[in-house]
Amino acid sequence: MRELEQQITKLSGATAETLRSRETRDMFLKFRDELTRGKIRAASKENGAWRTHEWVKRGILLGFRMGELQAFDDGSVLSFVDKDTFPPRRLKVSDAIRVVPGGSSIREGAYVAPGVICMPPMYINVGAYVDEGTLVDSNALVGSCAQVGKRVHLSAAAQIGGVLEPVNASPVIIEDDVLIGGNCGVYEGTLVGSRAVLGAGTILTRSTPLYDLVNEKVIRASTDAPLVIPENAVVVPGSRAIGKGKAAEWGLSLYTPVIVKYRDEKTDTSIELEHLLR
Protein backbone atom coordinates (compact mmCIF):
# COMPACT_ATOMS: atom_id res chain seq x y z
CA MET A 1 0.00 0.00 0.00
CA ARG A 2 2.98 2.28 0.49
CA GLU A 3 3.47 2.49 -3.28
CA LEU A 4 -0.19 3.41 -3.81
CA GLU A 5 0.06 6.11 -1.15
CA GLN A 6 3.12 7.63 -2.81
CA GLN A 7 1.49 7.61 -6.26
CA ILE A 8 -1.70 9.26 -5.03
CA THR A 9 0.18 11.90 -3.04
CA LYS A 10 2.27 12.70 -6.13
CA LEU A 11 -0.87 13.07 -8.29
CA SER A 12 -2.71 15.42 -5.92
CA GLY A 13 -1.73 18.43 -8.03
CA ALA A 14 -1.61 16.65 -11.38
CA THR A 15 -2.79 18.25 -14.63
CA ALA A 16 -5.93 17.12 -16.44
CA GLU A 17 -3.76 15.55 -19.14
CA THR A 18 -1.92 13.40 -16.58
CA LEU A 19 -5.20 12.31 -15.00
CA ARG A 20 -6.46 11.13 -18.41
CA SER A 21 -3.52 8.78 -18.94
CA ARG A 22 -4.05 5.00 -18.98
CA GLU A 23 -1.36 4.55 -16.33
CA THR A 24 -3.11 6.92 -13.90
CA ARG A 25 -6.49 5.29 -14.55
CA ASP A 26 -5.09 1.82 -13.87
CA MET A 27 -3.49 3.01 -10.63
CA PHE A 28 -6.78 4.55 -9.50
CA LEU A 29 -8.77 1.40 -10.31
CA LYS A 30 -6.34 -0.61 -8.19
CA PHE A 31 -6.83 1.89 -5.35
CA ARG A 32 -10.63 1.73 -5.69
CA ASP A 33 -10.55 -2.07 -5.70
CA GLU A 34 -8.55 -2.11 -2.46
CA LEU A 35 -11.11 0.26 -0.90
CA THR A 36 -13.95 -2.01 -1.99
CA ARG A 37 -12.18 -5.03 -0.50
CA GLY A 38 -11.55 -3.23 2.79
CA LYS A 39 -7.79 -3.56 2.48
CA ILE A 40 -7.37 0.20 2.82
CA ARG A 41 -9.72 2.58 4.65
CA ALA A 42 -10.11 6.27 5.42
CA ALA A 43 -9.53 5.74 9.16
CA SER A 44 -8.46 2.88 11.40
CA LYS A 45 -8.01 2.23 15.09
CA GLU A 46 -4.36 1.87 16.03
CA ASN A 47 -3.15 1.35 19.61
CA GLY A 48 -6.58 2.28 20.93
CA ALA A 49 -6.88 5.56 19.01
CA TRP A 50 -8.51 6.38 15.68
CA ARG A 51 -6.23 7.69 12.95
CA THR A 52 -7.36 9.41 9.75
CA HIS A 53 -5.52 8.39 6.56
CA GLU A 54 -5.39 11.57 4.53
CA TRP A 55 -3.92 9.91 1.46
CA VAL A 56 -7.01 7.69 1.13
CA LYS A 57 -9.26 10.76 1.04
CA ARG A 58 -6.94 12.31 -1.55
CA GLY A 59 -7.31 9.18 -3.65
CA ILE A 60 -11.10 9.42 -3.56
CA LEU A 61 -11.02 13.10 -4.51
CA LEU A 62 -8.64 12.18 -7.33
CA GLY A 63 -11.27 9.78 -8.63
CA PHE A 64 -13.84 12.56 -8.82
CA ARG A 65 -11.37 14.80 -10.68
CA MET A 66 -10.50 12.19 -13.29
CA GLY A 67 -14.00 10.78 -13.72
CA GLU A 68 -16.19 11.42 -16.75
CA LEU A 69 -19.98 11.44 -16.76
CA GLN A 70 -21.46 8.13 -17.81
CA ALA A 71 -24.99 6.76 -18.04
CA PHE A 72 -25.80 3.72 -15.93
CA ASP A 73 -29.11 2.00 -16.59
CA ASP A 74 -30.96 -1.22 -15.87
CA GLY A 75 -33.05 -1.81 -18.95
CA SER A 76 -35.79 0.74 -19.48
CA VAL A 77 -36.70 1.17 -15.81
CA LEU A 78 -33.82 2.83 -13.98
CA SER A 79 -31.35 5.39 -15.33
CA PHE A 80 -28.51 7.24 -13.60
CA VAL A 81 -25.72 9.58 -14.70
CA ASP A 82 -22.58 9.74 -12.55
CA LYS A 83 -18.78 9.75 -12.65
CA ASP A 84 -17.50 6.59 -14.34
CA THR A 85 -14.84 6.24 -11.64
CA PHE A 86 -17.47 5.44 -8.97
CA PRO A 87 -20.17 3.26 -10.54
CA PRO A 88 -22.80 1.40 -8.51
CA ARG A 89 -21.41 -1.81 -7.08
CA ARG A 90 -22.62 -5.09 -8.54
CA LEU A 91 -23.04 -7.65 -5.77
CA LYS A 92 -22.77 -11.41 -5.99
CA VAL A 93 -24.23 -14.11 -3.74
CA SER A 94 -20.66 -14.95 -2.70
CA ASP A 95 -20.36 -11.46 -1.15
CA ALA A 96 -22.83 -12.66 1.53
CA ILE A 97 -24.47 -9.22 1.73
CA ARG A 98 -28.26 -9.08 1.89
CA VAL A 99 -29.72 -6.30 -0.24
CA VAL A 100 -33.51 -6.42 -0.05
CA PRO A 101 -35.22 -5.27 -3.29
CA GLY A 102 -36.38 -1.67 -3.41
CA GLY A 103 -33.88 0.93 -4.61
CA SER A 104 -30.72 0.61 -2.48
CA SER A 105 -27.28 1.48 -3.83
CA ILE A 106 -23.69 0.87 -2.81
CA ARG A 107 -20.90 2.70 -4.61
CA GLU A 108 -17.69 1.06 -5.76
CA GLY A 109 -15.00 2.05 -3.30
CA ALA A 110 -17.17 1.29 -0.27
CA TYR A 111 -16.42 -1.76 1.86
CA VAL A 112 -19.44 -3.75 3.01
CA ALA A 113 -18.61 -6.87 5.01
CA PRO A 114 -20.29 -10.28 4.80
CA GLY A 115 -23.40 -10.47 6.95
CA VAL A 116 -24.47 -6.85 6.42
CA ILE A 117 -28.21 -6.34 5.76
CA CYS A 118 -29.40 -3.48 3.56
CA MET A 119 -33.08 -2.55 3.75
CA PRO A 120 -34.58 -0.49 0.92
CA PRO A 121 -33.91 2.22 0.06
CA MET A 122 -30.54 2.92 1.64
CA TYR A 123 -27.25 4.33 0.33
CA ILE A 124 -23.61 3.62 1.14
CA ASN A 125 -21.17 6.15 -0.35
CA VAL A 126 -17.57 5.82 -1.51
CA GLY A 127 -14.91 5.38 1.18
CA ALA A 128 -17.40 4.07 3.73
CA TYR A 129 -16.51 0.98 5.77
CA VAL A 130 -19.41 -1.10 7.10
CA ASP A 131 -18.37 -4.08 9.21
CA GLU A 132 -19.89 -7.52 9.78
CA GLY A 133 -23.44 -8.03 11.01
CA THR A 134 -24.53 -4.41 10.67
CA LEU A 135 -28.10 -3.56 9.67
CA VAL A 136 -28.63 -0.49 7.47
CA ASP A 137 -32.36 0.20 7.60
CA SER A 138 -34.66 1.95 5.13
CA ASN A 139 -33.80 5.52 4.09
CA ALA A 140 -30.52 5.37 6.00
CA LEU A 141 -27.32 6.95 4.69
CA VAL A 142 -23.73 5.92 5.30
CA GLY A 143 -21.77 8.90 4.00
CA SER A 144 -18.35 9.23 2.39
CA CYS A 145 -15.54 7.71 4.49
CA ALA A 146 -17.85 6.95 7.46
CA GLN A 147 -16.56 4.04 9.53
CA VAL A 148 -19.25 1.73 10.93
CA GLY A 149 -18.34 -1.15 13.22
CA LYS A 150 -19.65 -4.66 13.77
CA ARG A 151 -23.27 -5.42 14.70
CA VAL A 152 -24.38 -1.79 14.45
CA HIS A 153 -28.08 -1.05 13.92
CA LEU A 154 -28.71 2.02 11.77
CA SER A 155 -32.44 2.49 12.13
CA ALA A 156 -34.79 3.93 9.51
CA ALA A 157 -33.79 7.37 8.20
CA ALA A 158 -30.56 7.50 10.26
CA GLN A 159 -27.99 9.76 8.60
CA ILE A 160 -24.28 9.03 9.10
CA GLY A 161 -22.66 12.06 7.51
CA GLY A 162 -19.78 11.98 5.08
CA VAL A 163 -16.50 13.86 5.55
CA LEU A 164 -14.23 14.07 2.49
CA GLU A 165 -12.82 17.55 2.92
CA PRO A 166 -10.69 18.83 4.42
CA VAL A 167 -8.64 15.68 3.98
CA ASN A 168 -7.22 15.86 7.52
CA ALA A 169 -10.69 15.98 9.11
CA SER A 170 -11.84 12.89 11.00
CA PRO A 171 -14.69 10.95 9.41
CA VAL A 172 -17.77 9.97 11.39
CA ILE A 173 -16.99 6.81 13.36
CA ILE A 174 -19.57 4.41 14.81
CA GLU A 175 -17.91 1.69 16.89
CA ASP A 176 -19.12 -1.88 17.48
CA ASP A 177 -22.57 -2.79 18.85
CA VAL A 178 -24.01 0.74 18.65
CA LEU A 179 -27.75 1.28 18.19
CA ILE A 180 -28.65 4.40 16.18
CA GLY A 181 -32.36 5.19 16.51
CA GLY A 182 -34.68 6.34 13.76
CA ASN A 183 -34.16 9.82 12.27
CA CYS A 184 -30.84 10.30 14.08
CA GLY A 185 -28.08 12.36 12.48
CA VAL A 186 -24.37 11.95 13.24
CA TYR A 187 -22.16 14.49 11.48
CA GLU A 188 -18.82 16.34 11.33
CA GLY A 189 -16.47 13.63 12.51
CA THR A 190 -18.37 12.65 15.65
CA LEU A 191 -17.14 9.43 17.27
CA VAL A 192 -19.79 7.19 18.87
CA GLY A 193 -18.21 4.74 21.33
CA SER A 194 -19.00 1.03 21.37
CA ARG A 195 -22.38 -0.15 22.71
CA ALA A 196 -23.76 3.40 22.88
CA VAL A 197 -27.46 3.92 22.17
CA LEU A 198 -28.81 7.01 20.39
CA GLY A 199 -32.53 7.52 20.96
CA ALA A 200 -34.74 8.39 18.00
CA GLY A 201 -34.21 11.91 16.71
CA THR A 202 -30.82 12.52 18.34
CA ILE A 203 -28.57 14.89 16.36
CA LEU A 204 -24.82 15.02 16.99
CA THR A 205 -22.43 17.53 15.41
CA ARG A 206 -19.03 18.97 16.20
CA SER A 207 -20.61 22.13 17.62
CA THR A 208 -23.20 20.35 19.76
CA PRO A 209 -22.41 20.12 23.50
CA LEU A 210 -23.42 16.82 25.08
CA TYR A 211 -24.81 16.96 28.63
CA ASP A 212 -23.89 13.90 30.73
CA LEU A 213 -26.44 13.85 33.55
CA VAL A 214 -24.92 10.72 35.09
CA ASN A 215 -21.42 12.15 35.56
CA GLU A 216 -22.58 15.76 35.81
CA LYS A 217 -20.35 17.14 33.07
CA VAL A 218 -20.57 18.64 29.60
CA ILE A 219 -18.74 16.94 26.73
CA ARG A 220 -17.56 19.09 23.82
CA ALA A 221 -15.41 18.76 20.74
CA SER A 222 -12.11 20.63 20.77
CA THR A 223 -9.97 22.21 18.08
CA ASP A 224 -8.07 18.98 17.49
CA ALA A 225 -10.57 16.36 18.67
CA PRO A 226 -14.14 15.47 17.62
CA LEU A 227 -17.19 15.13 19.82
CA VAL A 228 -16.84 11.71 21.47
CA ILE A 229 -19.86 9.81 22.78
CA PRO A 230 -18.69 7.58 25.66
CA GLU A 231 -19.00 3.82 25.44
CA ASN A 232 -22.34 2.45 26.69
CA ALA A 233 -23.90 5.94 26.86
CA VAL A 234 -27.65 6.19 26.25
CA VAL A 235 -28.28 9.52 24.53
CA VAL A 236 -31.68 11.12 23.91
CA PRO A 237 -32.80 14.49 22.50
CA GLY A 238 -33.13 17.18 25.17
CA SER A 239 -33.26 20.96 25.49
CA ARG A 240 -31.65 23.74 27.52
CA ALA A 241 -33.24 27.04 28.36
CA ILE A 242 -31.84 30.30 26.99
CA GLY A 243 -31.11 32.43 30.04
CA LYS A 244 -30.91 35.96 28.66
CA GLY A 245 -32.31 38.39 26.16
CA LYS A 246 -35.58 38.18 24.30
CA ALA A 247 -35.29 34.40 24.06
CA ALA A 248 -35.42 34.15 27.85
CA GLU A 249 -38.40 36.48 27.95
CA TRP A 250 -40.19 34.31 25.42
CA GLY A 251 -39.24 31.11 27.25
CA LEU A 252 -37.29 29.64 24.36
CA SER A 253 -34.90 26.71 24.59
CA LEU A 254 -32.29 25.11 22.33
CA TYR A 255 -31.91 21.48 21.34
CA THR A 256 -29.15 19.50 23.04
CA PRO A 257 -28.35 15.79 23.30
CA VAL A 258 -28.40 14.37 26.83
CA ILE A 259 -26.86 11.23 28.35
CA VAL A 260 -29.61 9.96 30.64
CA LYS A 261 -27.97 6.66 31.65
CA TYR A 262 -25.35 4.12 30.71
CA ARG A 263 -26.28 0.83 29.13
CA ASP A 264 -27.42 -1.90 31.53
CA GLU A 265 -29.32 -5.21 31.45
CA LYS A 266 -32.65 -3.43 30.98
CA THR A 267 -31.30 -1.59 27.95
CA ASP A 268 -29.94 -4.81 26.48
CA THR A 269 -33.29 -6.56 26.96
CA SER A 270 -35.17 -3.80 25.14
CA ILE A 271 -33.01 -4.12 22.00
CA GLU A 272 -32.07 -7.80 21.96
CA LEU A 273 -34.87 -8.86 19.58
CA GLU A 274 -33.13 -7.31 16.58
CA HIS A 275 -30.85 -10.37 16.24
CA LEU A 276 -33.88 -12.29 14.92
CA LEU A 277 -33.72 -10.16 11.77
CA ARG A 278 -30.33 -11.64 10.96
Side-chain angles (χ1 to χ4, degrees):
M1 299 307 167
R2 183 63 179 169
E3 182 180 353
L4 264 181
E5 179 179 355
Q6 291 173 340
Q7 290 174 320
I8 285 170
T9 301
K10 183 178 179 180
L11 287 168
S12 293
T15 63
E17 182 179 359
T18 300
L19 295 181
R20 285 195 296 267
S21 73
R22 183 73 257 175
E23 182 181 3
T24 301
R25 170 73 60 143
D26 289 345
M27 180 279 299
F28 170 77
L29 292 178
K30 180 180 179 182
F31 165 79
R32 191 188 70 190
D33 183 57
E34 295 298 283
L35 267 179
T36 303
R37 294 170 57 208
K39 299 300 182 183
I40 57 178
R41 54 194 295 189
S44 59
K45 200 169 188 177
E46 301 174 6
N47 300 317
W50 283 93
R51 179 189 171 200
T52 301
H53 303 297
E54 298 178 18
W55 74 273
V56 175
K57 287 186 170 188
R58 287 194 181 95
I60 294 171
L61 292 169
L62 188 68
F64 283 109
R65 285 183 59 204
M66 66 193 299
E68 301 288 343
L69 288 181
Q70 176 180 328
F72 302 93
D73 60 72
D74 186 5
S76 60
V77 180
L78 298 175
S79 177
F80 308 93
V81 177
D82 199 3
K83 293 292 183 100
D84 61 353
T85 42
F86 295 114
R89 182 173 168 186
R90 296 282 183 176
L91 296 174
K92 307 181 293 294
V93 173
S94 59
D95 293 321
I97 300 166
R98 277 181 59 193
V99 180
V100 179
S104 296
S105 183
I106 302 170
R107 243 178 175 172
E108 286 284 356
Y111 173 72
V112 182
V116 170
I117 301 171
C118 302
M119 300 298 292
M122 62 94 241
Y123 185 69
I124 300 176
N125 209 346
V126 61
Y129 188 103
V130 183
D131 217 334
E132 298 172 2
T134 285
L135 171 65
V136 185
D137 214 335
S138 300
N139 296 299
L141 164 71
V142 182
S144 302
C145 299
Q147 306 292 296
V148 180
K150 294 179 172 66
R151 300 173 300 278
V152 171
H153 187 151
L154 299 180
S155 299
Q159 306 290 292
I160 308 302
V163 182
L164 257 179
E165 295 184 283
V167 292
N168 64 339
S170 300
V172 174
I173 296 169
I174 312 295
E175 295 191 330
D176 296 345
D177 299 300
V178 168
L179 173 61
I180 308 288
N183 289 296
C184 285
V186 186
Y187 307 108
E188 298 175 351
T190 298
L191 193 165
V192 181
S194 62
R195 290 176 50 81
V197 176
L198 304 187
T202 300
I203 306 296
L204 301 171
T205 72
R206 188 177 187 87
S207 59
T208 308
L210 172 63
Y211 288 77
D212 186 343
L213 301 183
V214 179
N215 296 305
E216 299 182 348
K217 65 179 182 178
V218 181
I219 301 171
R220 289 184 168 89
S222 65
T223 304
D224 53 1
L227 179 68
V228 177
I229 311 307
E231 295 182 2
N232 296 297
V234 178
V235 186
V236 300
S239 63
R240 55 193 175 107
I242 302 176
K244 59 183 179 180
K246 202 66 178 178
E249 180 183 333
W250 288 343
L252 299 182
S253 59
L254 297 174
Y255 162 80
T256 190
V258 178
I259 297 176
V260 293
K261 61 183 285 188
Y262 282 79
R263 195 160 166 169
D264 53 21
E265 289 184 8
K266 184 177 180 181
T267 310
D268 292 339
T269 299
S270 67
I271 64 175
E272 68 182 359
L273 292 179
E274 71 168 86
H275 77 276
L276 295 176
L277 295 171
R278 291 166 166 75

